[in-house]
Amino acid sequence: MRDFDHEADTFIARGLGNEMPGEVVQSASTDYVMRRIRELYLSNSTVTLLMLGRCTWARRYVDWELQASLRLGETISPNGLLGIKLPSYPEQDGYFPKRFNDNLRGEGQADCYARHMQYPTSTQSLVTAIEAAFQRRQTHTHLIVNPRERMHNNRQC
Protein backbone atom coordinates (compact mmCIF):
# COMPACT_ATOMS: atom_id res chain seq x y z
CA MET A 1 0.00 0.00 0.00
CA ARG A 2 2.85 2.36 0.78
CA ASP A 3 4.38 1.69 -2.64
CA PHE A 4 1.29 2.00 -4.83
CA ASP A 5 -1.78 3.57 -3.25
CA HIS A 6 -0.66 7.20 -3.37
CA GLU A 7 -1.48 7.54 -7.10
CA ALA A 8 -4.74 5.64 -7.52
CA ASP A 9 -6.32 5.67 -4.03
CA THR A 10 -7.38 2.10 -4.72
CA PHE A 11 -7.01 0.26 -1.41
CA ILE A 12 -9.03 -0.10 1.74
CA ALA A 13 -6.61 -1.33 4.40
CA ARG A 14 -8.51 -4.18 6.02
CA GLY A 15 -6.23 -7.18 5.78
CA LEU A 16 -4.84 -9.45 8.42
CA GLY A 17 -1.14 -9.00 8.92
CA ASN A 18 1.93 -9.82 10.98
CA GLU A 19 1.79 -6.45 12.72
CA MET A 20 -1.39 -7.52 14.54
CA PRO A 21 -0.65 -8.83 18.03
CA GLY A 22 -2.01 -12.20 19.18
CA GLU A 23 -5.25 -13.66 17.90
CA VAL A 24 -7.22 -11.42 15.54
CA VAL A 25 -10.59 -12.48 16.96
CA GLN A 26 -10.69 -13.99 20.45
CA SER A 27 -12.81 -17.14 20.20
CA ALA A 28 -12.47 -20.90 20.04
CA SER A 29 -15.34 -21.09 17.54
CA THR A 30 -13.98 -21.09 14.00
CA ASP A 31 -17.43 -20.25 12.62
CA TYR A 32 -17.54 -17.15 14.80
CA VAL A 33 -13.99 -16.18 13.79
CA MET A 34 -14.87 -16.64 10.09
CA ARG A 35 -17.94 -14.43 10.46
CA ARG A 36 -15.93 -11.74 12.27
CA ILE A 37 -13.17 -11.84 9.63
CA ARG A 38 -15.81 -11.24 6.96
CA GLU A 39 -17.45 -8.43 9.00
CA LEU A 40 -14.27 -6.70 10.19
CA TYR A 41 -11.84 -7.21 7.33
CA LEU A 42 -13.72 -8.12 4.15
CA SER A 43 -16.96 -6.13 4.24
CA ASN A 44 -17.17 -3.57 1.46
CA SER A 45 -14.18 -5.12 -0.29
CA THR A 46 -14.37 -6.54 -3.79
CA VAL A 47 -10.90 -7.99 -4.35
CA THR A 48 -8.70 -9.84 -1.87
CA LEU A 49 -4.99 -9.30 -2.42
CA LEU A 50 -3.00 -12.24 -1.12
CA MET A 51 0.49 -11.08 -0.30
CA LEU A 52 2.66 -14.13 -0.94
CA GLY A 53 5.75 -14.33 1.24
CA ARG A 54 7.96 -17.22 2.27
CA CYS A 55 5.56 -18.62 4.90
CA THR A 56 2.16 -17.34 3.75
CA TRP A 57 1.09 -20.89 2.85
CA ALA A 58 1.51 -21.96 6.51
CA ARG A 59 -0.80 -19.39 8.15
CA ARG A 60 -4.26 -20.53 9.23
CA TYR A 61 -5.77 -17.03 9.16
CA VAL A 62 -4.68 -16.70 5.53
CA ASP A 63 -6.64 -19.87 4.77
CA TRP A 64 -9.64 -18.55 6.70
CA GLU A 65 -9.56 -15.18 4.95
CA LEU A 66 -9.36 -16.93 1.57
CA GLN A 67 -12.28 -19.18 2.47
CA ALA A 68 -14.36 -16.17 3.52
CA SER A 69 -13.33 -14.24 0.38
CA LEU A 70 -14.48 -17.08 -1.89
CA ARG A 71 -17.79 -17.70 -0.13
CA LEU A 72 -20.91 -17.58 -2.30
CA GLY A 73 -24.44 -16.99 -1.08
CA GLU A 74 -27.75 -15.33 -1.80
CA THR A 75 -26.57 -12.06 -0.28
CA ILE A 76 -22.81 -12.68 -0.42
CA SER A 77 -20.71 -12.13 -3.52
CA PRO A 78 -17.21 -13.58 -3.61
CA ASN A 79 -14.20 -11.31 -3.76
CA GLY A 80 -11.89 -11.38 -6.72
CA LEU A 81 -8.62 -13.06 -5.77
CA LEU A 82 -5.16 -11.84 -6.75
CA GLY A 83 -1.90 -13.18 -5.31
CA ILE A 84 1.14 -10.92 -5.36
CA LYS A 85 4.58 -12.44 -4.85
CA LEU A 86 6.53 -10.31 -2.40
CA PRO A 87 10.29 -9.94 -2.75
CA SER A 88 10.59 -12.48 0.11
CA TYR A 89 8.75 -15.15 -1.90
CA PRO A 90 11.24 -17.89 -2.82
CA GLU A 91 11.27 -18.46 -6.57
CA GLN A 92 12.62 -21.96 -5.97
CA ASP A 93 10.68 -24.19 -3.59
CA GLY A 94 8.01 -21.55 -2.91
CA TYR A 95 4.50 -22.66 -1.97
CA PHE A 96 1.08 -21.11 -2.37
CA PRO A 97 -1.64 -21.63 0.24
CA LYS A 98 -3.60 -24.75 -0.74
CA ARG A 99 -6.96 -22.94 -1.02
CA PHE A 100 -5.38 -20.34 -3.33
CA ASN A 101 -3.72 -23.07 -5.37
CA ASP A 102 -7.12 -24.81 -5.72
CA ASN A 103 -8.36 -21.72 -7.56
CA LEU A 104 -5.49 -21.50 -10.03
CA ARG A 105 -5.46 -23.31 -13.35
CA GLY A 106 -4.72 -26.97 -12.89
CA GLU A 107 -3.66 -29.59 -15.37
CA GLY A 108 -6.28 -29.93 -18.10
CA GLN A 109 -8.15 -26.77 -17.07
CA ALA A 110 -8.75 -24.06 -19.64
CA ASP A 111 -9.36 -21.30 -17.09
CA CYS A 112 -9.57 -20.56 -13.35
CA TYR A 113 -10.82 -18.02 -10.81
CA ALA A 114 -7.66 -16.64 -9.17
CA ARG A 115 -4.54 -15.07 -10.63
CA HIS A 116 -1.07 -14.30 -9.30
CA MET A 117 1.69 -11.95 -10.37
CA GLN A 118 5.22 -10.91 -9.51
CA TYR A 119 5.57 -7.84 -7.30
CA PRO A 120 4.30 -4.99 -9.49
CA THR A 121 6.74 -2.68 -11.19
CA SER A 122 4.23 0.16 -11.55
CA THR A 123 0.97 1.41 -10.10
CA GLN A 124 -0.70 0.88 -13.47
CA SER A 125 0.27 -2.80 -13.65
CA LEU A 126 -1.20 -3.32 -10.17
CA VAL A 127 -4.40 -1.40 -10.96
CA THR A 128 -4.83 -3.43 -14.18
CA ALA A 129 -4.41 -6.73 -12.29
CA ILE A 130 -6.87 -5.65 -9.58
CA GLU A 131 -9.41 -4.59 -12.19
CA ALA A 132 -9.09 -7.98 -13.91
CA ALA A 133 -9.65 -9.75 -10.55
CA PHE A 134 -12.69 -7.53 -9.96
CA GLN A 135 -14.14 -8.48 -13.37
CA ARG A 136 -13.50 -12.20 -12.78
CA ARG A 137 -15.76 -12.14 -9.72
CA GLN A 138 -18.61 -11.54 -12.17
CA THR A 139 -17.50 -13.69 -15.09
CA HIS A 140 -15.70 -16.63 -13.46
CA THR A 141 -17.61 -17.35 -10.25
CA HIS A 142 -18.52 -20.79 -11.56
CA LEU A 143 -14.82 -21.71 -11.35
CA ILE A 144 -14.46 -21.11 -7.59
CA VAL A 145 -13.14 -24.14 -5.70
CA ASN A 146 -13.74 -23.80 -1.95
CA PRO A 147 -14.73 -27.17 -0.38
CA ARG A 148 -11.50 -27.69 1.60
CA GLU A 149 -11.70 -27.96 5.41
CA ARG A 150 -10.31 -24.94 7.26
CA MET A 151 -6.79 -25.14 8.63
CA HIS A 152 -6.99 -25.59 12.40
CA ASN A 153 -3.41 -24.60 13.23
CA ASN A 154 -0.54 -22.81 11.62
CA ARG A 155 1.89 -25.14 9.89
CA GLN A 156 5.63 -25.24 10.44
CA CYS A 157 7.28 -23.06 7.82
Side-chain angles (χ1 to χ4, degrees):
M1 286 180 49
R2 284 186 292 268
D3 289 347
F4 298 104
D5 199 38
H6 57 279
E7 288 181 33
D9 197 27
T10 302
F11 303 109
I12 300 169
R14 295 214 177 147
L16 305 172
N18 286 337
E19 67 277 358
M20 296 176 168
E23 295 292 318
V24 175
V25 178
Q26 297 294 324
S27 177
S29 167
T30 56
D31 289 329
Y32 174 76
V33 172
M34 287 289 292
R35 183 171 55 83
R36 293 300 288 161
I37 287 172
R38 190 135 189 89
E39 291 170 354
L40 296 173
Y41 300 101
L42 299 175
S43 66
N44 298 325
S45 66
T46 56
V47 174
T48 298
L49 298 180
L50 174 61
M51 307 309 289
L52 297 161
R54 187 177 69 79
C55 294
T56 304
W57 64 271
R59 306 290 183 240
R60 72 178 172 163
Y61 281 135
V62 169
D63 179 63
W64 295 10
E65 190 171 354
L66 290 172
Q67 185 181 41
S69 293
L70 293 169
R71 193 190 290 117
L72 297 162
E74 286 184 32
T75 60
I76 300 172
S77 294
N79 279 11
L81 188 52
L82 175 63
I84 298 173
K85 292 180 181 177
L86 297 171
S88 65
Y89 184 82
E91 285 306 315
Q92 298 235 340
D93 300 322
Y95 296 102
F96 289 155
K98 288 182 179 182
R99 193 174 309 276
F100 181 67
N101 207 41
D102 289 345
N103 285 279
L104 294 172
R105 186 174 20 222
E107 190 173 321
Q109 281 182 276
D111 208 351
C112 60
Y113 188 73
R115 292 285 192 263
H116 64 89
M117 65 186 290
Q118 296 294 333
Y119 193 78
T121 56
S122 71
T123 299
Q124 188 55 53
S125 67
L126 179 58
V127 169
T128 299
I130 292 170
E131 180 60 31
F134 176 81
Q135 295 301 324
R136 294 180 82 69
R137 65 191 286 267
Q138 300 296 323
T139 60
H140 288 70
T141 303
H142 64 284
L143 296 173
I144 290 175
V145 178
N146 201 21
R148 182 181 294 280
E149 289 289 322
R150 286 183 210 123
M151 282 175 61
H152 295 289
N153 299 301
N154 288 333
R155 294 193 170 96
Q156 185 70 29
C157 177

